[in-house]
Amino acid sequence: MKTNEEIAIKFGQTLDKDQFELTKKLISDDCKYYIEDDLIIGPEKICNSYKQNMIEGRRKLDVLEWGESKVQVIDDKKFVVHFTDYLTHKNKNHVHKCAQILTFNNEGLINRIEHENNEVEKKKLNEFYKKVGLVD
């Protein structure tokens, strides 16, 4: 049986590779995903939101690549997965960093995901979008 840390690492790796079907298997049926002001419940809807984000990003940017996620241990049931995204548009590059806090249930499944709201990263991303003409 895999440890929660190994599952957290696998979660990051499957998202790094757009392997949403594998990601779903790591998430409990009642998992709650908190992102901004939204609450998404269940592995199907959560993974669809990840997939939609990837599709929209690749549609609007010239290049969108995921880096290799890193996992930080908080305790035996809570972990932070740090993601790095590499964006290119109109020959300009931007590195975006974000993090998600995972909490595990007693069955070794992720039952809570919180997108860490980083105002500095959000501002830098918006400035990049403005610079390349994607937002006003």
Side-chain angles (χ1 to χ4, degrees), residues 12-18 20 50 53-69 82-89 92-98 125 128-129:
Q13 291 172 339
T14 59
L15 289 178
D16 291 344
K17 296 174 185 156
D18 298 329
F20 306 110
Y50 289 134
N53 184 53
M54 178 268 299
I55 290 168
E56 288 172 19
R58 291 199 171 132
R59 188 179 301 139
K60 75 178 170 185
L61 296 164
D62 294 335
V63 179
L64 173 59
E65 296 175 327
W66 311 133
E68 190 174 311
S69 58
H82 298 273
F83 295 98
T84 305
D85 307 337
Y86 299 92
L87 294 67
T88 304
H89 197 69
K92 292 187 180 8
N93 299 310
H94 179 71
V95 177
H96 177 68
K97 296 183 179 283
C98 65
L125 181 61
F128 170 73
Y129 285 157

Side-chain angles (χ1 to χ4, degrees), residues 90-118:
K90 295 185 178 177
N91 295 317
K92 292 187 180 8
N93 299 310
H94 179 71
V95 177
H96 177 68
K97 296 183 179 283
C98 65
Q100 295 187 354
I101 303 160
L102 308 181
T103 305
F104 283 79
N105 63 18
N106 292 331
E107 287 76 48
L109 292 171
I110 299 163
N111 70 343
R112 182 183 177 96
I113 304 168
E114 295 172 69
H115 187 85
E116 202 171 75
N117 196 11
N118 183 326

Side-chain angles (χ1 to χ4, degrees), residues 24-98:
K24 280 183 204 174
K25 296 176 182 176
L26 308 174
I27 300 172
S28 71
D29 289 341
D30 62 346
C31 182
K32 292 177 175 62
Y33 176 31
Y34 298 88
I35 179 165
E36 304 281 331
D37 295 327
D38 291 334
L39 169 61
I40 304 167
I41 301 173
E44 189 75 33
K45 289 180 180 175
I46 291 168
C47 287
N48 282 344
S49 78
Y50 289 134
K51 185 175 184 178
Q52 211 42 49
N53 184 53
M54 178 268 299
I55 290 168
E56 288 172 19
R58 291 199 171 132
R59 188 179 301 139
K60 75 178 170 185
L61 296 164
D62 294 335
V63 179
L64 173 59
E65 296 175 327
W66 311 133
E68 190 174 311
S69 58
K70 305 282 184 230
V71 171
Q72 172 190 350
V73 178
I74 307 245
D75 60 38
D76 63 332
K77 289 202 175 186
K78 195 174 256 191
F79 303 83
V80 181
V81 183
H82 298 273
F83 295 98
T84 305
D85 307 337
Y86 299 92
L87 294 67
T88 304
H89 197 69
K90 295 185 178 177
N91 295 317
K92 292 187 180 8
N93 299 310
H94 179 71
V95 177
H96 177 68
K97 296 183 179 283
C98 65

